[in-house]
Amino acid sequence: MSAAPGRPKQARPAARQGEGFVASGARSLMLRCAVGVIGLACQIALTGCASGPAVPDWRMNAPRASERATLADLQGKTRVAASEFDLMRREIARTGDAALMARAELLRCSLQVASLAVGPCARFESLRADAPAAELAYADYLSGRVEARTVPLLPTAQQAPARRLLEGGTVTARDVDLLAAIQEPLPRLVAAAVWLQAGQGHPAVMALAVDTASAQGWSRPLVAWLQLQARHAELAGDEHAARRQRRRIDLVLGAQP
């Protein structure tokens, strides 16, 4: 049946941020944009796709290597990830753009944080003097340092979790809804890990992170969060839960090539 005359056509819902990248098959590029490596792959790839003069090789090679490195890291393929990150660095280094290299290093640091491999972001620190303000704010955030003045500089997905940390007090199960509301899985894991660094390791935070990594098949962060859950259960005297988490870890590790 055709629509009644004069009835306006229903507007199509606006596409979610990153949906175009999904359609083109570059889902991990969308994830990197969402996790807040401000302007890195997004800036390079979008410029590279623009019509006009021939695109320099590095604008194509750097985001492709970044995409492969991101997926390999999340899947626990550490040697592949290291090789692809090195390729990404070489391509960006050809430009002499220290600010862009700083963004690239933040990508890897955010992946480390998501998998609870917390530690100094040494390669970024060597570029700190030339990093823009937004990258400086994000680097501090990844280290668990949050300041009210820099929250607006953080990636959008991280701002609400950052403000909750600034409020102080103990995180509750209801507060975890702030993390669950983050649509993309990688920034959700990053926010959960930052909360953990800030001493807000509520069991609901761990459960959300485990469910997020499991749904994506991201073995590296999944094992890390399951190990944390198991230790927490052991400390609480819940041996049954601890054994269950250990069995899940064995299952994941047994599937590794």
Side-chain angles (χ1 to χ4, degrees):
M1 182 184 299
S2 61
R7 178 180 296 176
K9 293 182 179 180
Q10 185 175 3
R12 295 178 61 187
R16 291 187 304 152
Q17 183 179 10
E19 207 164 53
F21 290 129
V22 177
S24 67
R27 176 169 177 77
S28 63
L29 173 57
M30 175 193 69
L31 294 178
R32 293 197 304 282
C33 297
V35 80
V37 184
I38 303 94
L40 170 61
C42 313
Q43 173 184 327
I44 295 172
L46 290 175
T47 304
C49 292
S51 59
V55 178
D57 288 346
W58 76 269
R59 287 193 181 275
M60 303 302 292
N61 296 338
R64 286 170 179 168
S66 176
E67 178 181 346
R68 293 190 296 267
T70 298
L71 289 178
D73 188 277
L74 291 168
Q75 293 170 356
K77 301 173 183 177
T78 54
R79 280 191 285 186
V80 174
S83 176
E84 294 294 344
F85 273 124
D86 284 344
L87 174 58
M88 176 190 71
R89 291 187 185 101
R90 289 196 299 272
E91 292 294 328
I92 294 175
R94 291 164 54 194
T95 71
D97 189 334
L100 188 58
M101 185 67 82
R103 296 177 192 134
E105 296 302 342
L106 280 180
L107 166 60
R108 187 159 201 191
C109 292
S110 65
L111 290 168
Q112 299 296 310
V113 169
S115 294
L116 303 184
V118 178
C121 190
R123 286 180 180 267
F124 172 82
E125 291 302 324
S126 68
L127 299 162
R128 179 176 279 271
D130 298 308
E135 280 72 14
L136 293 172
Y138 189 51
D140 290 342
Y141 175 75
L142 291 177
S143 299
R145 301 192 299 272
V146 182
E147 297 183 41
R149 65 180 180 83
T150 61
V151 168
L153 299 177
L154 294 175
T156 302
Q158 306 299 335
Q159 291 181 16
R163 285 192 294 268
R164 176 61 188 86
L165 290 179
L166 287 171
E167 290 174 4
T170 303
V171 162
T172 67
R174 290 191 63 181
D175 290 320
V176 179
D177 290 343
L178 284 174
L179 304 185
I182 299 174
Q183 293 188 357
E184 298 302 333
L186 186 50
R188 192 185 309 141
L189 286 176
V190 169
V194 170
W195 276 21
L196 185 68
Q197 288 186 74
Q200 300 293 354
H202 191 283
V205 174
M206 301 180 205
L208 178 64
V210 165
D211 290 345
T212 298
S214 175
Q216 299 300 315
W218 290 343
S219 57
R220 187 180 180 212
L222 176 57
V223 168
W225 284 95
L226 283 172
Q227 288 173 335
L228 181 65
Q229 268 194 329
R231 290 195 297 271
H232 186 271
E234 288 171 350
L235 290 172
D238 190 345
E239 290 298 328
H240 177 72
R243 287 194 295 271
R244 183 172 64 251
Q245 307 308 342
R246 298 293 181 194
R247 288 194 297 270
R248 289 190 69 182
I249 292 169
D250 290 342
L251 180 63
V252 176
L253 294 179
Q256 295 296 311

